[in-house]
Amino acid sequence: MAQTVVPLIHVPDVRATVEWYTSIGFKLTRQNEEDGEINWAKLTFGNSEVMFQSGRNPSTEQRREVDLYILTDNVDDLYRRLKDRVQVVIDVYDAFYGMREFIIRDFKGFWITFG
């Protein structure tokens, strides 16, 4: 029986993606390189995991195919630390389903909600 789901997102530049995500607090736990290029990486944010693999074309779409939703202990504190460093899509709010959350966009257009 599966116990964990770890998203695998295809991106055009894994190295740049890792640099962006680690700049906002993710930790790089594993990576694979071929011919000097990172083609796969696994990152964590607390107990959350996400993997990135090369193979996606850049997109100019307003929103991508996948959103990440990350549970965190202190949304307001995290928002204060990130709001001036990232593109905020929606400021901190209380959702109808009881979560306090905010949404940012990564440098390739993926939405990340912290709740």
Side-chain angles (χ1 to χ4, degrees):
M1 199 68 162
Q3 296 180 14
T4 304
V5 173
V6 180
L8 173 62
I9 300 173
H10 292 95
V11 296
D13 187 338
V14 177
R15 183 179 307 276
T17 301
V18 167
E19 289 173 1
W20 190 90
Y21 277 81
T22 56
S23 79
I24 66 164
F26 282 72
K27 291 187 177 22
L28 175 64
T29 58
R30 291 189 65 195
Q31 71 180 31
N32 186 67
E33 274 191 51
E34 290 182 14
D35 300 323
E37 293 293 320
I38 300 174
N39 61 7
W40 175 87
K42 182 177 180 182
L43 293 97
T44 60
F45 189 88
N47 293 326
S48 298
E49 298 177 324
V50 63
M51 296 183 292
F52 296 99
Q53 183 169 331
S54 61
R56 177 73 177 153
N57 295 327
S59 175
T60 58
E61 296 294 320
Q62 189 264 348
R63 192 169 183 181
R64 302 297 300 269
E65 299 84 7
V66 175
D67 295 343
L68 297 177
Y69 193 102
I70 300 173
L71 299 173
T72 187
D73 291 334
N74 192 332
V75 169
D76 293 299
D77 181 54
L78 184 60
Y79 176 77
R80 280 190 292 280
R81 288 185 299 161
L82 294 181
K83 68 180 176 77
D84 296 326
R85 300 175 47 206
V86 299
Q87 181 184 356
V88 175
V89 176
I90 300 174
D91 292 314
V92 177
Y93 67 100
D94 295 316
F96 69 91
Y97 42 84
M99 291 298 289
R100 184 155 179 79
E101 56 193 30
F102 67 95
I103 302 171
I104 66 172
R105 183 188 318 270
D106 81 1
F107 79 114
K108 291 295 181 185
F110 289 102
W111 285 22
I112 307 168
T113 302
F114 291 95

